[in-house]
Amino acid sequence: MAITIATWNINSVRLRIGIVEQFLAGHAPDILCLQEIKTIEDAFPRNALIEAGYPHLAIAGQKGYHGVAIASKIPFKTVEKDDWCAMGDARHLRVRLENDVLLDNFYIPAGGDEPDPAVNPKFDHKLKFLREMVQWGEARRAQTKRAVVVGDFNVAPLEHDVWSHKKLLDVVSHTPIETDLLAEVQAAHDWVDAVRHFVPATEKLYSWWSYRAADWAAADKGRRLDHIWVTPDLKDGLVSTEILRAARGWDKPSDHVPVLLTLEV
DNA sequence: ATGGTCGCGTTGCGA
């Protein structure tokens, strides 16, 4: 069967539940993975998602910061969450689907402003998180052949995943130390970048535009921070992808837009 | 070169 998985950094699910409903009504993914829900689990807008047709909910919440969730039309066999870097942050959820496909949803730390782990603890945390992901991939690759990983990775890995490769080489999200580490994460499980499977690496492609631009669309200084990867065994099942740029122009938008993948599993 | 805008939960912090 073909399923559609979407990932979206929503930047407060309570504030933006209206555009979540709009997105689900218009695009009807089978599974929606959210990051930065910015709420505890008890205050998560469960009823809105159930009424929208997504009764299967996995939520890892935290007061004020971070937080991830998975809302699904199809049931989960299991739900797990890992504690990355022993920080106690709500940055990860894993579900097993009925066909035994594993789906991991990540919110990787943004990393602050200064790209130097010696002076910036937030950047140090980001690099440690990525190194743990390398270990995770190496440990799991032998036993997990059918898996999808999505999320806000807060790294724009390729030259044309940012509006100016040269100008962003020393900007957190596109520094070589981060892009090299993300490449290690990808290699550790031979992950296939599902979106770039369909869009050539020579084409500019973004999923995030800063709130600080006076006119985000005119300036178009975006970055591709949100990703969907699949294991090689699922590569032949890739059907299509979409980055919903229009969502950046919706009422009271998130600074990220939904990224969608349809695949046969 | 600088500062620009968000959301949460209080007026600072993280993005």
Side-chain angles (χ1 to χ4, degrees), chain A residues 234-255:
Chain A
L234 297 182
K235 186 176 177 180
D236 287 346
L238 295 174
V239 174
S240 62
T241 58
E242 182 178 9
I243 298 186
L244 199 62
R245 179 186 171 101
R248 186 61 179 80
W250 289 353
D251 188 38
K252 292 259 192 143
S254 169
D255 44 356

Side-chain angles (χ1 to χ4, degrees), chain A residues 201-217:
Chain A
T202 49
E203 190 175 313
K204 292 285 185 195
L205 196 59
Y206 315 134
S207 65
W208 173 90
W209 293 261
S210 172
Y211 283 126
R212 296 178 191 179
D215 184 338
W216 72 273

Side-chain angles (χ1 to χ4, degrees), chain A residues 7 28 33 35 42 61 77 95-96 103 118 120 124-125 139 145 153 172 176 189 193 220 222 234 245 263:
Chain A
T7 180
C33 298
Q35 303 86 34
D42 285 350
K77 279 171 85 171
V95 295
R96 182 180 292 272
L103 171 63
N120 175 9
D124 186 54
H125 177 210
K145 302 289 190 192
F153 292 1
V172 171
H189 208 314
D193 180 335
D220 202 21
L234 297 182
R245 179 186 171 101
L263 78 166

Side-chain angles (χ1 to χ4, degrees), chain A residues 41-98:
Chain A
E41 288 157 40
D42 285 350
F44 187 90
R46 292 170 186 271
N47 288 341
L49 285 159
I50 293 167
E51 284 166 22
Y54 295 79
H56 307 287
L57 299 171
I59 306 162
Q62 185 173 337
K63 185 176 179 177
Y65 301 103
H66 321 315
V68 294
I70 305 178
S72 178
K73 291 175 179 288
I74 56 182
F76 312 134
K77 279 171 85 171
T78 61
V79 177
E80 301 170 278
K81 44 191 161 186
D82 294 343
D83 183 14
W84 297 80
C85 302
M87 299 277 285
D89 285 347
R91 294 184 178 273
H92 173 256
L93 275 173
R94 174 185 309 115
V95 295
R96 182 180 292 272
L97 307 181
E98 287 192 319

